[in-house]
């Protein structure tokens, strides 16, 4: 007998015995024609896909974005023709993935690390991915440095242990990173959970209106639940009890109907290089000052449904900074340009050539392409009236046709020599000083304590470079760091998670505190 709850294999065959493999007698040996067992174990051996190189640890949820139909007090159509923003109350389905960056898929959610904040909007014009972090800036401003940065922050290739000396070696040699170091080593480097952290697009994008005119834009997610961060000691205490606390917090809140919300705000700036500023607006190591470029609300996001299956949705969801809809565009931000290639490229490697056919990644609208084949293809993206013999364009034999352009195409003027140069207005430490001065006293104290703890175990040359950057940023910042390092105990290993207190003592403590046992 078979009903809707009957166990089957992938061929649809009912499984009558899921407890025993087929053997000669009840003691074996097993036979090769154990089809159900071989199918089951072979799939089990392939249940994992390649882990994300970064952002491997994550949690996610479904929800919706509701537009305000305005940018602050102005009509949104003045700035962008993107349809999802135009009507007040218009709702667009979303899927959000939160993550930590450096460590693996089952690493503790209390580690000192930026957090990913990626939103997939299933708009009527196709998908838009807003792929960002909780912090509003980044360590570097040029994509060519990204692999080196991640290599330095990842565990040592010999010991497989994260090493703060490697981290600071890269940062001391890349002074543009000092603003981000200031945030990461403060309590902002350990958000209390995913619901109570900000989000940011980090990079500079563009909005394009109906006339083809563009403005630069920055995106900011502000949590309605408030913002909460942890000290190093608080994080270590939580980690000792539950290293999945942030995933559990998000899941439990949604299950209880306590749906988390964020407001989406934007900053806009005219599309030019702004020589009046002491930084380049395309530099993602910099903040745009709110008093000069006010935050304007454009909508809110509500997360109201947990995934049905973690692997199918949270693990296989694939984001890309190049996934934009009409009315949204790229800027010349060098990090954005590099990410736009890298993100989609890694998804094809990780999930497969047809990753966009998976339900979590597919747009919630019609799709018609001339693409086919590739591993795990399971449908043809063909139009209902398309000639099945015509998988190319242009054609006069009932193939697919180009869409009509609505709104004037944005055509920026590009002029200049091809060079390999840094931007002129690097100004690496000014904003780090402003950030330091804006911290509350307890945040400053925690920042200095965490920096001293890790820098004390680093090469003296690295210490001096970081101190020099701190002194350049703010006299008080540099003085406290230098004084703290003078008083810090010498020696100890730098091989421990960033900011970790006495982590190098853990192997010995494990022996000292353990209990002997006899063999059995």
């Amino acid at each position: 007998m078979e009903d809707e709850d009957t166990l089957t294999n992938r061929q649809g065959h009912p499984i009558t015995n899921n407890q025993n493999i087929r053997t000669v007698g009840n003691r074996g040996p097993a036979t090769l024609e154990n089809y159900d067992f071989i199918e089951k174990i072979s799939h089990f051996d392939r249940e994992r896909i390649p882990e994300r190189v970064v952002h491997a640890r994550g949690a996610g949820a479904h929800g919706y974005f509701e537009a305000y139909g305005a940018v602050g007090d102005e009509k949104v159509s003045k700035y962008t023709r993107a349809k999802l923003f135009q009507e007040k109350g218009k709702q667009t389905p979303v899927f959000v993935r939160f993550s930590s960056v450096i460590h693996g898929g089952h690493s503790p959610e209390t580690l000192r690390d930026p957090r990913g904040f990626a939103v997939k909007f299933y708009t009527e014009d196709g998908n838009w991915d807003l792929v960002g972090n909780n912090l509003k800036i980044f360590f570097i401003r040029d994509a060519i440095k990204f692999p080196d940065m991640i290599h330095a922050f990842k565990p040592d290739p010999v010991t497989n242990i994260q090493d703060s000396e490697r981290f600071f070696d890269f940062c001391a040699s890349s002074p543009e990173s000092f603003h981000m170091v200031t945030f990461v080593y403060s309590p902002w480097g350990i958000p209390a959970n995913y619901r109570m952290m900000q989000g940011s697009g980090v990079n500079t994008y563009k909005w394009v209106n109906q006339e083809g005119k563009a403005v630069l834009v920055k995106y900011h997610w502000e949590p309605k639940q408030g913002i909460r961060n942890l000290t190093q000691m608080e994080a270590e205490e939580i980690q000792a009890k539950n290293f999945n606390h942030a995933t559990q917090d998000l899941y439990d809140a949604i299950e209880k109907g306590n749906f988390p919300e964020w407001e989406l705000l934007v900053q806009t700036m005219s599309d030019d290089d702004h020589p009046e500023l002491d930084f380049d607006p395309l530099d993602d190591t910099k903040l745009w000052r709110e008093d000069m470029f006010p935050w304007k609300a454009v909508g809110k996001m509500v997360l109201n449904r947990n995934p049905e299956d973690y692997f199918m949705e949270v693990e296989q969801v694939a984001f890309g900074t190049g996934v934009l809809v009409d009315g949204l565009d790229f800027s010349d931000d060098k990090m954005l340009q590099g990410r736009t290639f890298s993100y989609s490229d890694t998804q094809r490697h990780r999930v497969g050539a047809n990753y966009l056919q998976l339900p979590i990644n597919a747009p919630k609208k019609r799709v018609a392409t001339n693409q086919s084949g590739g591993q795990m293809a399971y449908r043809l993206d063909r139009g209902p009236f398309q000639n099945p013999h015509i998988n190319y364009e242009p054609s006069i034999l009932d193939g697919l046709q180009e869409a009509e352009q609505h709104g004037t195409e944005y055509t920026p003027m590009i002029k200049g020599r091809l060079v390999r140069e840094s931007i002129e207005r690097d100004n690496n430490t000014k904003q780090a000083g402003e950030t330091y001065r804006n911290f509350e006293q307890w945040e400053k104290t925690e920042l200095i304590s965490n920096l001293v703890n890790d820098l004390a175990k680093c090469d003296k040359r690295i210490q001096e470079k970081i101190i020099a950057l701190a002194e350049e940023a703010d006299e008080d910042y540099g003085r406290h760091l230098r004084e703290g390092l003078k008083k810090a105990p010498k020696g100890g290993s730098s091989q421990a998670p960033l900011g970790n207190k006495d982590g190098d003592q853990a192997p010995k403590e494990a022996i000292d505190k353990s209990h002997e046992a006899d063999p059995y």
Side-chain angles (χ1 to χ4, degrees):
M1 297 294 293
E2 182 179 355
D3 58 31
E4 292 299 316
D5 295 322
T6 298
L7 178 67
T8 74
N9 64 18
R10 280 279 172 90
Q11 302 287 7
H13 307 159
I15 302 297
T16 58
N17 189 330
N18 195 42
Q19 316 307 316
N20 304 288
I21 62 174
R22 197 177 191 189
T23 59
V24 179
N26 59 25
R27 296 183 65 238
T31 60
L32 184 62
E33 71 270 15
N34 262 283
Y35 180 80
D36 287 339
F37 166 70
I38 291 172
E39 287 293 295
K40 183 178 180 181
I41 198 68
S42 297
H43 184 273
F44 174 78
D45 293 342
R46 294 163 174 80
E47 280 185 0
R48 296 294 176 263
I49 60 177
E51 189 174 270
R52 287 169 168 88
V53 177
V54 288
H55 296 277
R57 176 72 200 242
H62 296 269
Y64 64 87
F65 173 77
E66 183 175 311
Y68 294 164
V71 181
D73 298 327
E74 300 177 281
K75 286 188 175 181
V76 71
S77 57
K78 176 181 176 181
Y79 298 100
T80 178
R81 59 179 185 247
K83 292 177 184 175
L84 80 158
F85 292 123
Q86 302 303 317
E87 301 171 24
K88 183 177 181 180
K90 182 182 181 69
Q91 292 188 356
T92 300
V94 300
F95 184 82
V96 179
R97 186 177 188 272
F98 304 105
S99 57
S100 53
V101 177
I102 293 301
H103 295 281
H106 292 287
S107 54
E109 293 181 306
T110 46
L111 296 179
R112 185 169 301 283
D113 202 13
R115 302 303 194 266
F117 195 123
V119 183
K120 186 179 293 293
F121 298 78
Y122 302 96
T123 87
E124 63 190 279
D125 277 341
N127 290 351
W128 169 35
D129 291 352
L130 181 54
V131 193
N133 288 335
N134 65 316
L135 298 172
K136 300 179 184 299
I137 57 170
F138 203 56
F139 291 96
I140 52 176
R141 61 171 72 97
D142 195 306
I144 199 170
K145 299 182 72 168
F146 188 78
D148 297 293
M149 183 198 83
I150 297 300
H151 284 173
F153 296 178
K154 284 275 191 182
D156 184 299
V158 177
T159 65
N160 198 35
I161 300 171
Q162 191 179 34
D163 191 323
S164 57
E165 186 171 62
R166 287 162 42 82
F167 175 92
F168 280 111
D169 184 28
F170 178 87
C171 293
S173 305
S174 306
E176 71 271 25
S177 70
F178 190 67
H179 193 189
M180 188 66 164
V181 168
T182 300
F183 270 113
V184 169
Y185 267 78
S186 78
W188 291 85
I190 312 180
N193 54 49
Y194 297 132
R195 291 185 305 118
M196 297 175 175
M197 70 181 193
Q198 296 170 298
S200 171
V202 180
N203 295 111
T204 303
Y205 289 86
K206 289 181 183 178
W207 272 2
V208 182
N209 67 12
Q210 192 70 16
E211 290 74 46
K213 296 178 181 177
V215 292
L216 301 177
V217 63
K218 288 267 198 183
Y219 298 102
H220 304 280
W221 294 106
E222 290 299 304
K224 294 290 188 70
Q225 299 75 235
I227 303 168
R228 301 188 74 87
N229 300 318
L230 296 168
T231 67
Q232 182 69 35
M233 185 177 296
E234 291 163 348
E236 290 177 11
E237 290 171 353
I238 292 166
Q239 181 176 322
K241 297 176 181 178
N242 185 348
F243 65 91
N244 308 291
H245 80 284
T247 293
Q248 183 176 341
D249 173 83
L250 178 66
Y251 184 90
D252 288 351
I254 294 173
E255 285 297 294
K256 293 173 182 175
N258 182 20
F259 303 142
E261 297 186 23
W262 287 260
E263 189 165 54
L264 180 61
L265 303 103
V266 298
Q267 292 175 288
T268 58
M269 187 185 299
S270 60
D271 184 15
D272 54 77
D273 60 1
H274 288 269
E276 77 281 3
L277 299 176
D278 60 8
F279 66 94
D280 193 307
L282 303 183
D283 182 352
D284 62 7
T285 70
K286 301 295 188 295
L287 297 168
W288 292 5
R289 283 176 48 181
E290 191 176 351
D291 60 341
M292 297 178 66
F293 307 99
W295 291 16
K296 299 178 181 178
V298 296
K300 70 173 183 178
M301 178 172 70
V302 179
L303 300 184
N304 58 8
R305 180 164 64 89
N306 281 313
E308 294 182 12
D309 182 84
Y310 180 88
F311 179 84
M312 292 287 290
E313 297 165 81
V314 183
E315 186 65 16
Q316 291 196 125
V317 69
F319 297 92
T321 54
V323 185
L324 304 175
V325 295
D326 185 52
L328 313 178
D329 214 324
F330 308 97
S331 77
D332 299 327
D333 179 334
K334 294 181 184 182
M335 277 298 296
L336 176 60
Q337 300 276 320
R339 292 175 78 200
T340 296
F341 167 77
S342 179
Y343 275 61
S344 296
D345 180 58
T346 199
Q347 306 302 356
R348 294 185 187 97
H349 158 70
R350 196 178 67 86
V351 187
N354 290 294
Y355 74 97
L356 290 173
Q357 290 189 344
L358 296 175
I360 192 64
N361 295 320
K364 299 183 186 298
K365 66 177 293 290
R366 60 173 290 278
V367 173
T369 77
N370 287 321
Q371 297 173 351
S372 61
Q375 190 176 37
M376 300 300 289
Y378 68 92
R379 71 162 183 258
L380 282 174
D381 301 334
R382 297 290 185 258
F385 307 110
Q386 181 179 357
N387 183 340
H389 299 281
I390 308 302
N391 62 349
Y392 53 86
E393 191 282 328
S395 167
I396 59 175
L397 301 176
D398 297 326
L400 296 174
Q401 305 294 319
E402 293 176 327
E404 182 181 348
Q405 173 74 42
H406 291 287
T408 304
E409 185 174 359
Y410 172 57
T411 56
M413 173 64 71
I414 307 296
K415 182 181 179 181
R417 294 185 179 277
L418 289 175
V419 298
R420 292 186 178 92
E421 297 176 355
S422 298
I423 60 172
E424 293 178 350
R425 289 168 285 169
D426 54 14
N427 210 346
N428 292 320
T429 59
K430 180 182 177 183
Q431 286 199 3
E434 292 170 351
T435 294
Y436 175 81
R437 290 188 290 276
N438 286 332
F439 281 162
E440 295 180 25
Q441 186 55 51
W442 73 273
E443 292 175 310
K444 293 178 182 178
T445 301
E446 179 73 7
L447 167 65
I448 298 299
S449 172
N450 294 329
L451 285 172
V452 167
N453 179 71
D454 280 3
L455 280 169
K457 301 160 188 170
C458 294
D459 186 288
K460 187 73 173 176
R461 294 167 295 178
I462 295 172
Q463 293 180 11
E464 287 301 323
K465 279 200 170 186
I466 296 295
I467 291 170
L469 291 170
E471 289 174 336
E472 187 178 299
D474 181 272
E475 182 183 350
D476 182 72
Y477 191 175
R479 185 178 68 256
H480 280 95
L481 185 56
R482 185 178 291 279
E483 290 174 352
L485 284 169
K486 281 182 181 178
K487 298 174 184 176
K490 302 299 184 284
S493 172
S494 59
Q495 295 179 341
L498 301 184
N500 182 276
K501 306 290 186 184
D502 301 321
D504 58 326
Q505 301 300 315
K508 184 176 184 301
E509 284 186 24
I511 297 171
D512 294 343
K513 294 181 178 180
S514 59
H515 307 275
E516 290 186 7
D518 294 328
Y520 65 91

